[in-house]
Short mmCIF file of all heavy atoms in Angstrom, two decimals:
data_model
loop_
_atom_site.label_atom_id
_atom_site.label_comp_id
_atom_site.label_asym_id
_atom_site.label_seq_id
_atom_site.Cartn_x
_atom_site.Cartn_y
_atom_site.Cartn_z
N ALA J 1 71.35 38.01 45.88
CA ALA J 1 69.87 37.85 45.73
C ALA J 1 69.24 39.24 45.69
O ALA J 1 69.96 40.36 45.81
CB ALA J 1 69.23 36.94 46.70
N ARG J 2 67.99 39.25 45.59
CA ARG J 2 67.18 40.59 45.66
C ARG J 2 66.22 40.41 46.85
O ARG J 2 65.82 39.31 47.23
CB ARG J 2 66.42 40.90 44.39
CG ARG J 2 67.42 40.83 43.20
CD ARG J 2 66.80 41.06 41.87
NE ARG J 2 67.59 40.85 40.72
CZ ARG J 2 68.52 41.80 40.34
NH1 ARG J 2 68.71 42.83 40.96
NH2 ARG J 2 69.13 41.47 39.21
N ALA J 3 65.90 41.63 47.40
CA ALA J 3 64.84 41.61 48.53
C ALA J 3 63.39 41.94 47.89
O ALA J 3 63.22 42.25 46.78
CB ALA J 3 65.24 42.87 49.36
N LYS J 4 62.53 41.74 48.92
CA LYS J 4 61.20 41.89 48.51
C LYS J 4 60.45 42.50 49.80
O LYS J 4 60.77 42.05 50.98
CB LYS J 4 60.38 40.60 48.12
CG LYS J 4 58.91 40.57 47.99
CD LYS J 4 58.39 39.20 47.49
CE LYS J 4 56.93 39.15 47.49
NZ LYS J 4 56.51 37.85 47.16
N VAL J 5 59.64 43.54 49.56
CA VAL J 5 59.08 44.28 50.78
C VAL J 5 57.49 44.37 50.51
O VAL J 5 57.06 44.57 49.43
CB VAL J 5 59.63 45.62 50.83
CG1 VAL J 5 59.35 46.54 49.72
CG2 VAL J 5 59.24 46.32 52.14
N ARG J 6 56.83 44.06 51.59
CA ARG J 6 55.34 44.13 51.50
C ARG J 6 54.91 45.50 51.75
O ARG J 6 55.18 46.05 52.91
CB ARG J 6 54.71 43.09 52.61
CG ARG J 6 53.27 42.93 52.46
CD ARG J 6 52.81 41.55 53.05
NE ARG J 6 53.38 40.47 52.35
CZ ARG J 6 52.78 39.88 51.23
NH1 ARG J 6 51.66 40.36 50.90
NH2 ARG J 6 53.47 38.90 50.76
N THR J 7 54.14 46.12 50.96
CA THR J 7 53.86 47.57 50.97
C THR J 7 52.28 47.73 51.23
O THR J 7 51.77 48.85 51.25
CB THR J 7 54.21 48.34 49.60
OG1 THR J 7 53.83 47.51 48.54
CG2 THR J 7 55.70 48.48 49.64
N GLY J 8 51.57 46.63 51.57
CA GLY J 8 50.21 46.80 51.79
C GLY J 8 49.51 45.41 51.92
O GLY J 8 50.18 44.43 52.14
N GLY J 9 48.07 45.45 51.80
CA GLY J 9 47.45 44.23 51.95
C GLY J 9 45.98 44.53 52.09
O GLY J 9 45.52 45.71 51.84
N VAL J 10 45.17 43.69 52.67
CA VAL J 10 43.62 43.79 52.69
C VAL J 10 43.14 44.39 53.92
O VAL J 10 41.97 44.49 54.16
CB VAL J 10 42.92 42.48 52.22
CG1 VAL J 10 43.14 42.07 50.91
CG2 VAL J 10 43.41 41.45 53.31
N THR J 11 44.11 44.75 54.82
CA THR J 11 43.75 45.37 56.12
C THR J 11 44.69 46.57 56.34
O THR J 11 45.81 46.66 55.75
CB THR J 11 43.98 44.44 57.34
OG1 THR J 11 45.35 43.90 57.31
CG2 THR J 11 43.07 43.19 57.21
N ALA J 12 44.21 47.52 57.01
CA ALA J 12 44.95 48.83 57.20
C ALA J 12 46.25 48.52 57.94
O ALA J 12 47.29 49.27 57.69
CB ALA J 12 44.06 49.80 58.05
N ASP J 13 46.24 47.52 58.91
CA ASP J 13 47.48 47.35 59.56
C ASP J 13 48.59 46.56 58.75
O ASP J 13 49.73 46.49 59.18
CB ASP J 13 47.25 46.55 60.93
CG ASP J 13 46.64 45.23 60.65
OD1 ASP J 13 46.47 44.79 59.49
OD2 ASP J 13 46.29 44.60 61.72
N SER J 14 48.24 46.28 57.63
CA SER J 14 49.22 45.60 56.76
C SER J 14 50.05 46.65 55.94
O SER J 14 51.04 46.27 55.23
CB SER J 14 48.65 44.67 55.72
OG SER J 14 47.67 45.30 54.86
N ILE J 15 49.60 47.95 55.96
CA ILE J 15 50.28 48.95 55.28
C ILE J 15 51.43 49.52 56.10
O ILE J 15 51.11 50.12 57.26
CB ILE J 15 49.22 50.06 54.87
CG1 ILE J 15 48.19 49.40 53.96
CG2 ILE J 15 49.96 51.19 54.12
CD1 ILE J 15 47.04 50.54 53.85
N PRO J 16 52.70 49.45 55.73
CA PRO J 16 53.76 49.91 56.57
C PRO J 16 53.85 51.43 56.70
O PRO J 16 53.45 52.11 55.67
CB PRO J 16 55.06 49.33 55.90
CG PRO J 16 54.66 49.18 54.54
CD PRO J 16 53.20 48.85 54.50
N GLU J 17 54.34 51.92 57.84
CA GLU J 17 54.45 53.39 57.93
C GLU J 17 55.49 53.88 56.98
O GLU J 17 56.43 53.18 56.62
CB GLU J 17 54.93 53.69 59.40
CG GLU J 17 53.85 53.37 60.36
CD GLU J 17 54.27 53.63 61.82
OE1 GLU J 17 55.39 54.19 61.97
OE2 GLU J 17 53.58 53.38 62.82
N SER J 18 55.29 55.10 56.61
CA SER J 18 56.33 55.62 55.51
C SER J 18 57.86 55.56 56.09
O SER J 18 58.81 55.27 55.35
CB SER J 18 55.95 57.06 55.24
OG SER J 18 54.71 57.11 54.61
N ALA J 19 58.00 55.78 57.46
CA ALA J 19 59.30 55.87 58.01
C ALA J 19 59.97 54.49 57.86
O ALA J 19 61.12 54.37 57.62
CB ALA J 19 59.34 56.38 59.37
N LEU J 20 59.16 53.42 58.11
CA LEU J 20 59.67 51.98 58.13
C LEU J 20 60.03 51.69 56.68
O LEU J 20 61.01 51.10 56.43
CB LEU J 20 58.76 51.15 58.65
CG LEU J 20 58.47 51.24 60.11
CD1 LEU J 20 57.39 50.27 60.63
CD2 LEU J 20 59.70 51.13 61.02
N LEU J 21 59.13 52.07 55.65
CA LEU J 21 59.53 51.72 54.31
C LEU J 21 60.67 52.52 53.79
O LEU J 21 61.50 51.95 53.04
CB LEU J 21 58.22 52.16 53.51
CG LEU J 21 58.19 51.78 51.97
CD1 LEU J 21 58.62 50.28 51.75
CD2 LEU J 21 56.85 52.13 51.35
N ALA J 22 60.77 53.81 54.28
CA ALA J 22 62.02 54.61 53.88
C ALA J 22 63.20 53.94 54.43
O ALA J 22 64.27 53.90 53.77
CB ALA J 22 61.85 55.98 54.39
N ARG J 23 63.15 53.46 55.64
CA ARG J 23 64.28 52.84 56.34
C ARG J 23 64.78 51.53 55.47
O ARG J 23 65.93 51.36 55.17
CB ARG J 23 64.06 52.43 57.68
CG ARG J 23 65.36 51.78 58.44
CD ARG J 23 65.00 51.57 59.90
NE ARG J 23 64.07 50.42 60.07
CZ ARG J 23 63.65 50.13 61.18
NH1 ARG J 23 64.07 50.60 62.27
NH2 ARG J 23 62.72 49.14 61.26
N PHE J 24 63.74 50.76 55.09
CA PHE J 24 64.07 49.54 54.28
C PHE J 24 64.66 49.93 52.96
O PHE J 24 65.72 49.40 52.60
CB PHE J 24 62.77 48.75 54.00
CG PHE J 24 62.84 47.71 53.00
CD1 PHE J 24 63.39 46.52 53.18
CD2 PHE J 24 62.55 48.11 51.62
CE1 PHE J 24 63.46 45.54 52.26
CE2 PHE J 24 62.78 47.05 50.60
CZ PHE J 24 63.26 45.94 50.93
N MET J 25 64.14 50.92 52.29
CA MET J 25 64.60 51.26 51.01
C MET J 25 66.02 51.85 51.02
O MET J 25 66.97 51.50 50.24
CB MET J 25 63.67 52.34 50.33
CG MET J 25 62.29 51.65 49.99
SD MET J 25 61.06 52.91 49.68
CE MET J 25 61.68 53.68 48.08
N ALA J 26 66.26 52.69 52.06
CA ALA J 26 67.59 53.27 52.23
C ALA J 26 68.63 52.10 52.59
O ALA J 26 69.69 52.24 52.12
CB ALA J 26 67.56 54.30 53.33
N GLY J 27 68.22 51.19 53.32
CA GLY J 27 69.02 50.14 53.73
C GLY J 27 69.43 49.32 52.51
O GLY J 27 70.57 48.83 52.26
N ALA J 28 68.37 49.02 51.59
CA ALA J 28 68.66 48.36 50.36
C ALA J 28 69.70 49.06 49.39
O ALA J 28 70.51 48.44 48.79
CB ALA J 28 67.28 48.20 49.61
N VAL J 29 69.43 50.34 49.30
CA VAL J 29 70.42 51.19 48.49
C VAL J 29 71.68 51.12 49.08
O VAL J 29 72.71 50.94 48.35
CB VAL J 29 69.84 52.66 48.41
CG1 VAL J 29 70.92 53.57 47.77
CG2 VAL J 29 68.64 52.62 47.56
N ARG J 30 71.89 51.22 50.33
CA ARG J 30 73.24 51.16 50.97
C ARG J 30 73.93 49.82 50.76
O ARG J 30 75.07 49.68 50.51
CB ARG J 30 73.14 51.47 52.48
CG ARG J 30 73.05 52.89 52.89
CD ARG J 30 73.28 53.22 54.30
NE ARG J 30 72.36 52.37 55.18
CZ ARG J 30 71.26 52.97 55.60
NH1 ARG J 30 70.76 54.26 55.24
NH2 ARG J 30 70.37 52.21 56.41
#
C-alpha cells in the first residue's frame, strides 16, 4: 500500500514540525 501524511490544517497546531515531517519522509523512502 501507500502512506498518507497530514501536512497542515485550519489550526496552527495541525502543521507538523519540519523535523517530524522529514523523519516520516525519510522513513517512507527507506
Side-chain angles (χ1 to χ4, degrees):
R2 306 182 189 280
K4 178 179 171 183
V5 63
R6 192 158 293 273
T7 46
V10 296
T11 59
D13 60 4
S14 63
I15 302 171
E17 295 177 4
S18 298
L20 295 179
L21 184 54
R23 183 179 67 181
F24 166 88
M25 294 166 63
V29 169
R30 284 193 298 269

